[in-house]
Amino acid sequence: MYRKMHIPDDPHFYEKFYFTPGDLGFQAFETRFARIGVLICWDQWYPEAARLTALRGAEVVFYPTAIGWLAADKNNPDEGLAQLDAWQTIQRSHAIANGVYVAAANRVGHEGPAAAGVDFWGRSFVCDPLGRVMVEASAAAGDVLIATCDRTVLENQRRGWPFLRDRRIDSYAGIDRRFLDTPWP
Amino acid sequence: MYRKMHIPDDPHFYEKFYFTPGDLGFQAFETRFARIGVLICWDQWYPEAARLTALRGAEVVFYPTAIGWLAADKNNPDEGLAQLDAWQTIQRSHAIANGVYVAAANRVGHEGPAAAGVDFWGRSFVCDPLGRVMVEASAAAGDVLIATCDRTVLENQRRGWPFLRDRRIDSYAGIDRRFLDTPWP
C-alpha cells in the first residue's frame, strides 16, 4: 500500500487540515504486467520520491493528481500555461533521471464558484524514459489514454545514459535536512 | 571550490579513464551579486546534486557542460532532438524543484572525424524558478546570453509553490543506496 507522503497547503487546497502525511515511505509493487510505483499529486514535485520509487524497481511510475488553474492565471502564457508546462516538465524529468515510464492522470473540470475556484487542467500523459510524451489528453474532456510500455526501451535508455550507475551515493548525506546553510557535515 | 562529482563513461567520453571523481561534495558560494552553485556536465542529470546545492542556499545554479549529438542522431527528432529536449528538461526541472535560477552553458562545434565524432549542441540557456526559458543560444555559434535574475521572482515562486516547505526529510533514507530491491530499511 502507498499513502501520499507530501502534503501541500494553500488557499485552495487545505490539505494539511484534512490529511495526515503518509507513513509508509516510497514503494513499488509487482503486478502481472510490470513493477509499478504510485505517487500522489503533490508528490510529483519531489525528485526524492521518484528516485526512491525507482530504486525499489518501479518500471512505470503513476501520478494520480488534481491540479489546475486559478481563473486569473488560466490563459496567461506567463503564468497558467507556464504552470502547466512546469507540471509536465518535472514529471518528464523523473522519467529521464530514473529511466522509467511516467503516467500522470490529472483531473478535469471546475470546482468552486464559476469566476473563482479551480479549473483542473487535465492534460494527462504518458512519457517514456527519455521524457518523450507518447500520448496526451486534452485539458477539458475525460479521455482514455493507452500507451505501450516496452522493457527494451527502458533497458536501451539506461544503457545509453546510465545515470543510476554513476550516482554518488557516498555524497548525498544532508538531503535529509531542511537547510544546509550551516556548516555540514 | 567545486570538483565535478558525477563522472560518465561511454565510447565518446572516457571520463572514468581521465578523471577521478570530485571529493568536495555540493557547494554554494557567496558572490557580490548572489549566492551561486556550480555543477559540471554529467552532474546535470542528478536531482540530488541540484537539491544539495539549493539547500546550501544557491539562488542560481550554473551548469558548464559539453554535450552533443552523434552524427547519426543529430537530425532525428526521435533521438537527437529528443536528447536535446531531455537535457533542457532535466535542468529546467532542477529550477522548478528547488525554486532557483538555472544557467546552462554548453559547448558548440565539432570534435573528431567529420562523419563521426560529436556535434556539440550548444543551446545554452537561462531559466527562471518556474522553469521558463528566459534566453537561449543557438546550436551553432558562440553566443553571449544575458538574463536578469530577480530575487523577488524567486521569493514569489517559493511562496506560491513551497516545495521545500513540504519535503519529507524523515523519509528519504535509502537515497544513499544503489538499489532498494531488497527489504529496506
Side-chain angles (χ1 to χ4, degrees):
Chain A
M1 202 199 308
Y2 177 76
R3 294 184 182 133
K4 180 173 179 174
M5 292 290 285
H6 297 93
I7 308 295
D9 201 83
D10 74 50
H12 289 269
F13 295 82
Y14 296 107
E15 296 195 20
K16 290 190 195 296
F17 178 80
Y18 288 105
F19 301 156
T20 195
D23 57 339
L24 300 176
F26 304 96
Q27 308 289 337
F29 305 96
E30 205 63 44
T31 73
R32 54 197 283 210
F33 299 108
R35 195 167 168 86
I36 67 164
V38 180
L39 296 167
I40 301 174
C41 209
W42 198 237
D43 288 329
Q44 72 210 350
W45 300 101
Y46 293 85
E48 294 91 343
R51 180 70 95 204
L52 286 162
T53 302
L55 292 183
R56 287 211 183 262
E59 298 163 298
V60 187
V61 179
F62 290 87
Y63 288 95
T65 164
I67 188 169
W69 294 293
L70 304 185
D73 292 337
K74 182 172 179 178
N75 295 311
N76 181 341
D78 289 333
E79 289 303 327
L81 298 183
Q83 291 167 8
L84 167 58
D85 189 50
W87 172 83
Q88 192 188 69
T89 297
I90 194 102
Q91 291 176 99
R92 290 174 55 225
S93 84
H94 302 325
I96 297 164
N98 296 292
V100 296
Y101 286 90
V102 162
N106 187 44
R107 182 178 168 184
V108 295
H110 184 88
E111 188 166 313
V118 178
D119 257 321
F120 295 94
W121 65 47
R123 294 289 288 269
S124 302
F125 70 93
V126 181
C127 75
D128 77 4
L130 188 52
R132 290 175 286 217
V133 174
M134 303 164 68
V135 287
E136 186 174 14
S138 76
D143 299 325
V144 174
L145 299 181
I146 297 178
T148 301
C149 299
D150 181 344
R151 283 206 177 86
T152 311
V153 172
L154 197 151
E155 170 67 18
N156 286 343
Q157 180 59 28
R158 288 183 171 194
R159 199 180 291 273
W161 279 351
F163 303 138
L164 296 177
R165 180 192 66 189
D166 299 328
R167 295 181 70 233
R168 287 297 303 272
I169 59 171
D170 58 316
S171 300
Y172 297 153
I175 212 158
D176 59 352
R177 306 229 309 186
R178 290 270 168 240
F179 301 103
L180 295 171
D181 53 349
T182 51
W184 168 265
Chain B
M1 203 199 312
Y2 177 76
R3 294 184 182 132
K4 181 174 179 175
M5 291 290 286
H6 297 93
I7 308 295
D9 200 84
D10 74 49
H12 289 269
F13 295 82
Y14 297 106
E15 295 195 21
K16 289 190 196 295
F17 178 80
Y18 288 104
F19 301 157
T20 196
D23 58 338
L24 300 177
F26 303 96
Q27 307 290 338
F29 306 96
E30 205 63 44
T31 73
R32 54 197 281 212
F33 299 109
R35 194 166 169 86
I36 67 164
V38 179
L39 296 166
I40 301 174
C41 211
W42 198 238
D43 289 328
Q44 72 209 352
W45 300 101
Y46 294 85
E48 294 91 343
R51 179 70 94 205
L52 286 162
T53 303
L55 293 182
R56 287 213 184 262
E59 297 163 299
V60 187
V61 178
F62 289 87
Y63 287 97
T65 165
I67 189 169
W69 294 294
L70 304 185
D73 292 337
K74 182 172 179 179
N75 295 310
N76 181 341
D78 288 334
E79 289 303 328
L81 298 183
Q83 291 166 9
L84 167 58
D85 189 49
W87 173 81
Q88 192 188 69
T89 297
I90 194 100
Q91 292 175 98
R92 290 174 54 226
S93 84
H94 302 325
I96 297 164
N98 296 293
V100 295
Y101 286 90
V102 162
N106 187 44
R107 184 178 164 182
V108 295
H110 184 87
E111 188 165 313
V118 179
D119 256 322
F120 295 94
W121 64 46
R123 294 288 288 269
S124 301
F125 69 93
V126 180
C127 75
D128 76 5
L130 188 52
R132 290 175 286 215
V133 174
M134 303 163 69
V135 287
E136 187 175 13
S138 76
D143 300 326
V144 173
L145 299 181
I146 296 177
T148 302
C149 299
D150 180 345
R151 282 206 178 86
T152 311
V153 172
L154 198 151
E155 169 68 18
N156 287 343
Q157 180 59 26
R158 289 183 170 193
R159 198 181 290 273
W161 279 352
F163 304 138
L164 296 178
R165 180 192 65 189
D166 298 329
R167 294 181 71 232
R168 287 297 302 272
I169 58 171
D170 58 317
S171 300
Y172 297 152
I175 212 158
D176 59 351
R177 305 229 311 183
R178 289 269 170 242
F179 301 105
L180 296 171
D181 52 350
T182 50
W184 168 266

